[in-house]
Amino acid sequence: ISFSGVDSSLSSLRNCQSYINTGMDIATRVALDLVESFNDVEEVDSMENVMLEYAAMDRELNHYMTAIEETVHQIKRDKPENIPDLQYLVKEKYTALESKNNDSDLQTNEKYMYFKDQLKEMRKQFRLQSGDGNESIEQIDEDIAVTQSQVNFICPITQMEMKKPVRNKVCGHVYEEDAILKIIQTRNQQKKKV
């Protein structure tokens, strides 16, 4: 029995799995960007749900590929006289694998665990854990340190040479003091996180 068609199909399924992994990487970056830009917890939670959906697709695809590989291995080992019903045998193995599914399995997906770790670190870095997002301007000022001025040092906000540059201790970015304080005050007046 030739399994070249099956091998080709498995190769295509592995490509699909790489697309799932890429999707999980993108969802992780989007969630981290949301945390960094101080967006809703709801939006970050929706990205976590996307990650769980990807993890479920990945698990399903893994089970299907395992069922195919085990069936092919079994047929090669047993060398039956008649060509067996591959579709039935694969479906039987796949159903057995899927019946063992548990929602907690998704939590152990490698990419999902990485997502959770990165999210936790990013939240810690931006002090968003347990409602610590209502910082006053005085508290924020403590996170900004004055730096030495440099020739032709351009502010990313004003696009002009900085006269009084300050560095954010959290992210390390450097701004013209008046420009960044104006943005901080505006965000506070709008009751948005800074």
Side-chain angles (χ1 to χ4, degrees):
I1 301 172
S2 173
F3 292 101
S4 62
V6 173
D7 292 338
S8 174
S9 296
L10 280 171
S11 178
S12 294
L13 291 174
R14 285 187 192 93
N15 282 339
C16 289
Q17 197 167 35
S18 74
Y19 297 140
I20 290 171
N21 286 330
T22 300
M24 292 179 97
D25 291 341
I26 292 169
T28 299
R29 285 195 301 269
V30 168
L32 295 177
D33 286 347
L34 288 170
V35 170
E36 189 173 5
S37 62
F38 301 103
N39 278 339
D40 272 7
V41 171
E42 285 178 25
E43 292 174 2
V44 175
D45 288 346
S46 85
M47 292 313 301
E48 184 172 353
N49 290 334
V50 167
M51 288 295 289
L52 289 170
E53 288 175 30
Y54 274 127
M57 285 188 280
D58 187 54
R59 177 180 64 189
E60 186 177 341
L61 194 55
N62 277 329
H63 285 167
Y64 191 64
M65 289 189 303
T66 300
I68 292 170
E69 289 166 346
E70 287 179 1
T71 301
V72 167
H73 179 68
Q74 179 185 345
I75 291 170
K76 286 180 177 178
R77 185 186 65 229
D78 295 347
K79 298 179 184 174
E81 290 180 25
N82 297 326
I83 298 175
D85 185 349
L86 286 175
Q87 185 175 358
Y88 173 78
L89 292 173
V90 168
K91 187 174 183 179
E92 195 175 62
K93 287 187 185 299
Y94 173 74
T95 303
L97 289 168
E98 284 287 296
S99 69
K100 297 175 186 173
N101 285 351
N102 188 334
D103 285 345
S104 64
D105 297 346
L106 301 178
Q107 310 280 331
T108 60
N109 177 285
E110 184 179 330
K111 294 262 184 189
Y112 178 77
M113 289 171 36
Y114 175 78
F115 167 86
K116 292 294 282 183
D117 289 344
Q118 291 298 304
L119 208 55
K120 183 179 177 182
E121 285 303 311
M122 183 67 85
R123 283 181 168 148
K124 192 184 299 180
Q125 181 180 353
F126 286 95
R127 298 183 182 106
L128 290 178
Q129 290 178 332
S130 65
D132 193 26
N134 297 325
E135 296 178 46
S136 68
I137 289 181
E138 293 79 25
Q139 289 169 317
I140 292 168
D141 282 345
E142 292 174 11
D143 289 338
I144 300 175
V146 177
T147 62
Q148 295 179 349
S149 63
Q150 299 175 0
V151 179
N152 295 328
F153 205 59
I154 305 299
C155 173
I157 299 169
T158 63
Q159 297 299 309
M160 305 205 32
E161 186 175 338
M162 289 187 260
K163 308 252 184 292
K164 193 170 181 189
V166 292
R167 179 182 312 275
N168 185 315
K169 289 180 183 177
V170 175
C171 64
H173 293 113
V174 179
Y175 307 99
E176 176 62 42
E177 184 180 43
D178 291 339
I180 192 64
L181 288 176
K182 186 181 271 187
I183 288 175
I184 290 170
Q185 288 171 340
T186 302
R187 298 282 293 180
N188 276 338
Q189 288 170 353
Q190 296 171 346
K191 301 207 183 300
K192 293 184 178 177
K193 293 177 182 173
V194 180

